[in-house]
Amino acid sequence: MSSSFRWWPLGPGLVRACCGGGWGAALAAAVILVLAQGLMLAVLFGAQDHQLAQQRSEQMRNVGLSLGAALDNAGRFALAQAEVQVRRDDVLDAMAREDRAALAHLTQASYDYLKGQAGVNIFGFHSKDIRYLLRMHSPRNFNDDISGFRQMVVAANRSRHYQVGLEMGRAGIGVRGVSVLARGEQFLGTFEVGMDVQPLIESVKAVTNAEIAVLVSPQMSGVPVGQELEGRRFGDVVMMATTDERRFATLLREQGLDMAGETRFGEYRADQRHYTVMTQPLVDFSGRMIGSIAILKDFAELKSGIKQTRTELWVVALCTGMMAFALLRVVLLGAAPSRDTA
């Protein structure tokens, strides 16, 4: 045996002394290496889990922000269209006379265009005593008192100031802009433009690939829902709009969702899939909470990528252990004294 080998501090002689030499030494060294790699992988996987949780939370919050921006933009658009109409002298003249036929004639073209091109589904005038003077979207229904359930119109009437935002009505929820019709100090009434929330949540889904539901509590809103919405009631929650009615209906029946005044996260399993659930408060034009926005998103693709990476790392670790075993075995056999020299 050479002097360089005899004096090598971590040479095969020391390994044989500690582990008995031969197959045992190589196997022990390989196992130790694999265990060390396993420990490092466990730390790495823990960091991956933490990062995945952060990514899921961030993506879910971004969906909520995107939806909030869509609702805000729709509100500004509705109010802008309302303000255009209330600044027309011919509309003011007809409103002063409460001339329904003249108002319909003057605004028909605008309503037809906005309905077809911008998704406007509410377009109408309210008298100063808070009666619906003209519904362009339902012209045969008029002169009814709306002071008991149209709080946005009441607020605009009393404050003589425009209102904008979400409002719950008997027929559903919408994003509305209510403007004031006035000539000098003479108050004439109010005018509103409204948009359905369904196209808005569909547009957000198209960008984020998340399922969304708008949930309203009649108890919170103070507005009883119409008979046509009773089929969407789940306890004290009414599903006003959704991108996936079946899935959210199942979630509400089986698990339910809290109407909390803060953003909350949860988990939901259905159809052999695992969803992250986020709920955030739904507030109306006045800032009052009237329900929740629920968001579901499946992160299976992201999880699949991490799972594949982990499998590859485990394979690398096992292969490294096998290679280490083979290499140490060769070294130990080469360093063992032959029988001729014994």
Side-chain angles (χ1 to χ4, degrees):
M1 187 180 295
S2 64
S3 59
S4 61
F5 179 77
R6 284 196 308 268
W7 296 104
W8 177 36
L10 297 178
L14 180 59
V15 174
R16 284 197 305 274
C18 296
C19 302
W23 289 95
L27 180 60
V31 169
I32 292 173
L33 179 60
V34 170
L35 290 176
Q37 288 181 321
L39 180 61
M40 289 187 292
L41 289 178
V43 174
L44 174 61
F45 293 166
Q48 284 182 328
D49 288 337
H50 179 68
Q51 184 179 18
L52 176 61
Q54 286 186 322
Q55 288 178 340
R56 285 187 299 182
S57 175
E58 182 178 352
Q59 288 190 31
M60 296 294 281
R61 291 183 185 277
N62 285 339
V63 176
L65 291 174
S66 297
L67 182 57
L71 294 173
D72 288 343
N73 289 336
R76 284 194 290 269
F77 175 81
L79 181 62
Q81 297 304 317
E83 288 291 316
V84 168
Q85 300 299 324
V86 302
R87 282 168 169 73
R88 294 175 53 178
D89 288 334
D90 52 357
V91 169
L92 291 174
D93 290 339
M95 190 66 185
R97 302 191 307 269
E98 294 192 356
D99 188 338
R100 296 181 62 256
L103 289 172
H105 175 73
L106 291 170
T107 59
Q108 185 69 57
S110 296
Y111 170 62
D112 290 342
Y113 178 82
L114 293 172
K115 179 182 178 181
Q117 300 298 320
V120 168
N121 65 341
I122 300 292
F123 198 92
F125 296 86
H126 322 113
S127 62
K128 55 188 176 182
D129 59 350
I130 318 182
R131 293 181 175 275
Y132 223 125
L133 180 64
L134 171 65
R135 290 179 172 91
M136 292 297 293
H137 50 284
S138 182
R140 294 183 179 181
N141 184 17
F142 63 94
N143 203 36
D144 52 316
D145 185 357
I146 58 174
S147 61
F149 60 93
R150 290 299 313 279
Q151 297 305 311
M152 181 178 282
V153 177
V154 173
N157 185 288
R158 292 176 178 174
S159 67
R160 305 292 196 266
H161 192 267
Y162 71 80
Q163 304 292 322
V164 61
L166 282 169
E167 185 185 30
M168 178 65 188
R170 289 179 177 174
I173 190 170
V175 183
R176 297 169 182 174
V178 179
S179 294
V180 173
L181 292 119
R183 176 171 284 161
E185 296 298 322
Q186 183 185 10
F187 174 68
L188 303 175
T190 54
F191 173 74
E192 70 173 326
V193 172
M195 304 176 68
D196 190 6
V197 299
Q198 185 66 38
L200 301 178
I201 64 175
E202 292 285 357
S203 66
V204 174
K205 174 186 175 178
V207 175
T208 63
N209 197 32
E211 303 294 349
I212 303 168
V214 178
L215 309 173
V216 172
S217 167
Q219 184 177 358
M220 290 182 176
S221 67
V223 179
V225 298
Q227 188 64 35
E228 66 275 12
L229 293 174
E230 283 297 325
R232 287 189 165 193
R233 180 189 286 272
F234 302 87
D236 188 45
V237 176
V238 179
M239 185 162 52
M240 306 303 303
T242 178
T243 58
D244 192 328
E245 184 168 352
R246 181 189 65 83
R247 183 167 292 136
F248 277 104
T250 303
L251 170 61
L252 289 169
R253 280 194 299 263
E254 295 180 352
Q255 186 170 311
L257 290 171
D258 293 333
M259 293 291 180
E262 58 185 10
T263 299
R264 290 187 177 180
F265 292 89
E267 304 292 331
Y268 176 60
R269 293 182 181 272
D271 302 327
Q272 298 182 342
R273 300 174 70 179
H274 189 190
Y275 297 92
T276 297
V277 186
M278 186 182 82
T279 56
Q280 63 183 38
L282 178 70
V283 298
D284 68 3
F285 71 98
S286 66
R288 180 183 56 169
M289 181 177 172
I290 60 173
S292 291
I293 294 174
I295 300 171
L296 282 177
K297 190 170 175 62
D298 179 8
F299 291 91
E301 185 175 343
L302 184 59
K303 293 178 181 177
S304 177
I306 292 179
K307 184 178 180 180
Q308 182 177 354
T309 301
R310 290 182 176 183
T311 301
E312 292 171 354
L313 289 173
W314 276 118
V315 171
V316 169
L318 292 174
C319 290
T320 302
M322 294 171 63
M323 292 175 62
F325 170 74
L327 180 61
L328 287 169
R329 177 63 181 158
V330 170
V331 172
L332 290 172
L333 288 177
S338 64
R339 295 182 178 180
D340 295 336
T341 59

